[in-house]
Amino acid sequence: MKINSLFVMMAAAFVAVACERGDKDVVPNNKPDTPEQPEEPDTPDEPTDGVVLEAAYFGGEYYGDYYSPGVGNYFIHFSDKGFSDAGYALPEAVYYTLDLYGDYYGGEEVDRLPLPEGTYRLDMENSFTNGTFSVAYSKFTRSDADGQFVEEHQFEAGELVVTATQAVLKVTIAGVEHTVTFDGKADVADKRSATGEDVGGGDDDGGDVEIPEGELSTLTEDYEVDLSDHMLIYCAYGDYYATGINNYTFAIWPNEYVGDFIQFDVMTSATDDALFSGVFECGDEMSEYSFLRGYIAVEGDSGYMNGSWYYKDDGVTMAPFVGGELEVECRADGTASVEFAVLDDKGNTISGSWSGPMTEI
């Protein structure tokens, strides 16, 4: 199955971005001609003065079992300051982000639900199993005076203990143990609708998905997309539609998975020397240098946003692209530039631009 719907959220995402592992350096075994007196073996660095933080903010999102069948995914944040009203990092703040897997809640949609009590441990294998948080999508970040992230680290070890009144995170970062405590009820926003999960409640009989008739866009006017703190992820499908044209799907996501998202499903040509560079207009699978119209696809008892879309992490705001123009330049150094002015199905113009490094999944 084509994974356009992966770009709906981490999503996770979630969301969803593949973790690339580099090979370890190989050191040649060059022995000296004359034996030397062996040196004392190095001893591992002991964790130095630990960091202790009383978190003023705890929050996150629940995505159901979209990323691991039968296991609930909770994407959570501890911070000394939290986020702006628009969902962006505040100046000179720290964030501990965990991609956590716990008990699955499949009941009626709610505004917020509690993080399940228990102990969760850092999973170096990224198995996405109950009682863990993945090393791939969990991290520590720090922002500068302009609210831009200037520091980022993965965790080397870690454990989170959640009770009804407190959450305590202990993680090792660059050899230093950080202890983060949040006093209060640790709860998260229910974002299952952003993944297409049916959250109708207990009377749901698993019947057919009802696709809204008419216009799908929730926008009421022209909109300029904010792509100021985002990453680009793409997937190459080759001649997916058997039309002799190469197909790519790419998404531009906010680095903290909060804010504006876009995705484009594009057709290029019979060659892909320049990846998905070109000028694209809305078309179909038979049209070179076209982007595919946004639509809702049904799979089982769920619906997904396929094709080309704008959406937000709130699980409500969205707009399919049905016209306009997209221009992409993919460069040999692994970076790209994207600029677009497209139309939704209400005639609103959605525009934006982005440049930076690309990541293939």
Side-chain angles (χ1 to χ4, degrees):
M1 179 187 71
K2 191 176 183 184
I3 56 172
N4 285 9
S5 55
L6 169 66
F7 294 138
V8 172
M9 271 304 296
M10 142 88 201
F14 43 160
V15 37
V17 182
C19 178
E20 298 180 0
R21 296 191 181 97
D23 296 332
K24 294 182 179 179
D25 294 334
V26 178
V27 180
N29 185 16
N30 296 326
K31 296 183 179 179
D33 294 333
T34 305
E36 296 180 355
Q37 194 70 19
E39 297 180 358
E40 290 294 324
D42 292 334
T43 57
D45 293 335
E46 293 292 332
T48 56
D49 296 337
V51 175
V52 177
L53 172 68
E54 294 288 337
Y57 172 88
F58 176 90
E61 303 86 37
Y62 174 63
Y63 294 111
D65 65 349
Y66 185 74
Y67 298 101
S68 188
V71 181
N73 175 226
Y74 303 79
F75 198 68
I76 63 175
H77 314 274
F78 294 83
S79 176
D80 59 342
K81 294 184 178 180
F83 298 93
S84 69
D85 291 341
Y88 293 100
L90 292 175
E92 298 181 340
V94 295
Y95 300 89
Y96 298 80
T97 298
L98 276 65
D99 174 41
L100 185 142
Y101 296 83
D103 293 344
Y104 172 69
Y105 167 73
E108 186 174 356
E109 187 169 22
V110 294
D111 287 335
R112 304 190 67 81
L113 70 160
L115 188 64
E117 296 179 35
T119 299
Y120 304 85
R121 294 181 173 85
L122 181 66
D123 179 11
M124 303 301 290
E125 302 301 322
N126 299 311
S127 62
F128 310 138
T129 53
N130 200 330
T132 69
F133 52 100
S134 73
V135 70
Y137 306 120
S138 303
K139 60 184 176 180
F140 166 85
T141 50
R142 184 189 303 274
S143 62
D144 63 11
D146 297 320
Q148 301 298 312
F149 288 114
V150 293
E151 187 178 348
E152 179 177 318
H153 299 283
Q154 284 189 309
F155 303 141
E156 299 158 8
E159 180 179 277
L160 171 67
V161 178
V162 179
T163 68
T165 59
Q166 188 181 67
V168 179
L169 173 68
K170 291 186 177 182
V171 289
T172 302
I173 302 169
V176 178
E177 185 175 81
H178 294 229
T179 301
V180 183
T181 302
F182 175 76
D183 290 320
K185 181 180 179 181
D187 59 6
V188 296
D190 188 351
K191 297 293 186 180
R192 286 174 293 161
S193 58
T195 69
E197 181 174 338
D198 184 357
V199 289
D203 294 334
D204 179 25
D205 60 1
D208 295 336
V209 177
E210 292 187 9
I211 303 300
E213 295 183 1
E215 299 164 341
L216 296 174
S217 177
T218 62
L219 298 181
T220 59
E221 59 185 356
D222 295 348
Y223 184 73
E224 184 173 357
V225 181
D226 183 355
L227 303 177
S228 59
D229 185 21
H230 286 56
M231 54 184 154
L232 186 150
I233 304 103
Y234 75 92
C235 190
Y237 289 103
D239 187 8
Y240 182 82
Y241 296 102
T243 59
I245 305 173
N246 281 309
N247 173 233
Y248 293 84
T249 299
F250 72 89
I252 301 179
W253 287 350
N255 286 314
E256 291 301 313
Y257 306 101
V258 178
D260 289 339
F261 293 69
I262 65 163
Q263 71 178 42
F264 281 96
D265 195 352
V266 300
M267 309 298 296
T268 58
S269 68
T271 62
D272 66 349
D273 294 338
L275 295 177
F276 46 98
S277 292
V279 178
F280 303 84
E281 296 182 351
C282 192
D284 57 29
E285 297 87 348
M286 300 292 294
S287 306
E288 290 190 348
Y289 296 102
S290 66
F291 62 85
L292 304 187
R293 180 188 180 104
Y295 66 100
I296 301 293
V298 176
E299 181 180 335
D301 59 357
S302 296
Y304 300 95
M305 291 189 293
N306 273 4
S308 305
W309 287 81
Y310 157 75
Y311 54 96
K312 290 182 71 72
D313 64 291
D314 59 12
V316 176
T317 306
M318 63 181 187
F321 300 155
V322 303
E325 185 175 279
L326 160 72
E327 183 172 358
V328 183
E329 180 186 0
C330 300
R331 293 180 281 268
D333 63 358
T335 63
S337 296
V338 178
E339 188 169 355
F340 58 93
V342 294
L343 299 175
D344 68 4
D345 57 359
K346 289 183 177 178
N348 298 309
T349 297
I350 303 164
S351 58
S353 61
W354 176 93
S355 63
M358 303 179 290
T359 300
E360 183 176 12
I361 62 173

